[in-house]
Amino acid sequence: MRPAQRAKAISICNDKLAKKGDGVGLSFYAFFANKNDDPELLMEAAEWWIMTHKLDHFEKAIKVRDLIASGA
């Protein structure tokens, strides 16, 4: 995942956690607008989520944030 996308994803996870608590879940779609304006970046995130880490469609935001922050 690109460094800018990592920072954005961590920020989104932190925002969701602050608003809804540690039990909140999200999918990688949470990192994108509701339109496909950068398909290459969307596919990179999908590959990181699905192929690299074998995550379910919805995962706990805290788990995702910690994975991203670790550089995994």
Side-chain angles (χ1 to χ4, degrees), residues 16-38:
K16 294 236 181 230
L17 288 162
K19 289 179 182 173
K20 298 188 177 186
D22 288 349
V24 69
L26 52 75
S27 78
F28 68 88
Y29 292 115
F31 308 141
F32 298 92
N34 286 334
K35 57 186 172 183
N36 190 7
D37 58 354
D38 192 343

Side-chain angles (χ1 to χ4, degrees), residues 45-57:
E47 183 173 336
W48 180 91
W49 191 283
I50 298 165
M51 300 301 290
T52 303
H53 294 288
K54 311 258 187 272
L55 300 174
D56 289 334
H57 183 74

